[in-house]
Amino acid sequence: MELHDVWFVLIAVLWTGYFFLEGFDFGVGVLTRLLARDRAEKRVLINTIGPVWDGNEVWLLTAGGATFAAFPEWYATLFSGFYLPLLAILICLIIRGVAFEYRAKRPEENWQRNWETAIFWTSLIPAFLWGVAFGNIVHGVKIDAEFEYVGDVWDLLNPYALLGGLVTLTLFTFHGTVFTALKTVGEIRERARKLALRVGLVTAVLAAAFLLWTQADRGDGSSLVALAVAVASLVAALVANQAGREGRAFALSGVTIVAAVAMLFLTLFPNVMPSTLDADWSLTVTNASSSPYTLKIMTWLAVIATPVVLLYQGWTYWVFRKRIGTQHIADPVH
């Protein structure tokens, strides 16, 4: 296996880790409007992801940096062609981070309600737009002979990509719902389990349609296996949720995300960005990659740094592993 193939796999792993981790905290952000009934329950939901949401975003920064260094042509075409949706995601992530930090800085109800509204929308919008973006990457976009995107923003809003956006939105919300059931106690835990069933059923229908469309369009035997794993694990997650096995349900919803993302990258390879104008104009792992020397240096850096990051993030989740409820929420002090 060539180094550019290795880095394609590593970037796929980074995006998978990002969607697995950021997926549930996007979902929890959406639940602040769908599940929480009062201010105390909103604080419970926000506190379940408070210690980890910023660490989850490290996976996005690493995936973007790895793409820039390993596949500069891919990075240039992607970020120029998808400029507006990626800018919208970036703005949402900035506002979302500020909302987490500033929500409790003042006691006024309007102040806190406005920041909580910001958390909801800046969780929902990126959860949808990531699906739209990856739907277009897999399905293909208008790339010319100079490897430049020549379409417009409306070309990105095609039926396949919009369906992909609905899938990521519902799947992340389901992932966040089972995470909430895993991390809370009392009434909010029971309501989260009931909501997970409804959201999961909607997710199953949308995901099946999207993955089958992907398989019919670009799939092969390996992607079919990933599709089967994604569908089976989602069904198993629903069964585990109904049985009250929140830990197993969360793990299985995570497997669903991993298998679905793996399927997308399997159908994409060896392309990194197909052209719908001419297959010869597609960006591939070969024509979009950096020099072998650059990839070699990056590989050694990854070998050294990755275990440290994984150990630190794993330790963070271990420290904040316990359940919380409204009874654990102290009165705010200003």
Side-chain angles (χ1 to χ4, degrees):
M1 181 181 286
E2 300 289 338
L3 278 180
H4 50 65
D5 297 331
V6 172
W7 273 97
F8 179 86
V9 174
L10 290 177
I11 288 172
V13 170
L14 290 171
W15 279 111
T16 302
Y18 174 66
F19 288 144
F20 181 100
L21 297 172
E22 189 87 306
F24 73 73
D25 72 48
F26 280 150
V28 172
V30 173
L31 293 179
T32 58
R33 182 69 63 89
L34 300 183
L35 183 65
R37 291 179 175 175
D38 53 32
R39 179 60 43 75
E41 290 189 351
K42 287 184 179 181
R43 291 179 64 189
V44 168
L45 291 175
I46 293 171
N47 285 359
T48 62
I49 59 174
V52 298
W53 67 268
D54 49 353
N56 295 343
E57 292 186 355
V58 170
W59 290 77
L60 171 62
L61 298 175
T62 308
T67 304
F68 172 76
F71 299 101
E73 288 283 359
W74 185 12
Y75 183 93
T77 303
L78 176 64
F79 279 78
S80 60
F82 292 19
Y83 180 80
L84 288 178
L86 292 178
L87 177 62
I89 291 173
L90 176 61
I91 292 173
C92 284
L93 294 180
I94 293 172
I95 295 174
R96 189 169 183 262
V98 173
F100 281 128
E101 298 297 330
Y102 276 72
R103 182 189 59 84
K105 296 296 185 183
R106 289 172 57 177
E108 292 88 346
E109 185 175 343
N110 284 340
W111 171 273
Q112 296 188 6
R113 184 188 299 114
N114 289 338
W115 285 120
E116 288 162 0
T117 299
I119 290 172
F120 169 76
W121 285 109
T122 56
S123 299
L124 185 149
I125 293 172
F128 175 75
L129 288 180
W130 279 127
V132 173
F134 270 82
N136 279 290
I137 291 173
V138 172
H139 192 62
V141 292
K142 295 178 179 179
I143 298 175
D144 64 12
E146 302 299 322
F147 300 139
E148 294 182 0
Y149 177 71
V150 292
D152 55 38
V153 68
W154 301 111
D155 292 322
L156 302 178
L157 302 179
N158 56 79
Y160 177 81
L162 292 175
L163 178 58
L166 292 176
V167 169
T168 52
L169 175 58
T170 55
L171 182 56
F172 291 169
T173 303
F174 174 69
H175 196 40
T177 308
V178 294
F179 176 79
T180 299
L182 175 65
K183 288 289 292 180
T184 58
V185 295
E187 184 184 353
I188 192 170
R189 175 187 177 189
E190 297 302 319
R191 282 191 279 113
R193 284 175 52 197
K194 293 178 182 177
L195 181 60
L197 176 62
R198 298 196 295 271
V199 175
L201 291 174
V202 174
T203 302
V205 173
L206 294 174
F210 179 73
L211 295 179
L212 287 172
W213 190 344
T214 305
Q215 179 66 24
D217 191 29
R218 295 182 177 275
D220 56 17
S222 57
S223 62
L224 182 60
V225 172
L227 186 156
V229 172
V231 172
S233 56
L234 180 55
V235 173
L238 288 169
V239 173
N241 175 73
Q242 286 302 100
R245 304 294 296 272
E246 290 100 345
R248 185 171 297 178
F250 177 70
L252 287 166
S253 68
V255 171
T256 303
I257 292 175
V258 171
V261 177
M263 180 186 177
L264 295 182
F265 277 94
L266 285 169
T267 58
L268 187 60
F269 185 82
N271 295 320
V272 294
M273 213 165 174
S275 172
T276 57
L277 299 179
D278 190 322
D280 292 335
W281 298 345
S282 297
L283 287 167
T284 68
V285 293
T286 304
N287 63 25
S289 70
S290 295
S291 67
Y293 183 70
T294 300
L295 296 177
K296 184 177 180 179
I297 294 175
M298 290 175 58
T299 302
W300 281 110
L301 290 174
V303 169
I304 296 170
T306 302
V308 177
V309 174
L310 292 176
L311 285 171
Y312 174 76
Q313 194 160 28
W315 176 78
T316 303
Y317 277 93
W318 175 256
V319 170
F320 296 100
R321 66 189 181 278
K322 295 195 176 173
R323 297 176 183 266
I324 62 173
T326 53
Q327 67 270 29
H328 301 114
I329 301 298
D331 293 332
V333 178
H334 297 277

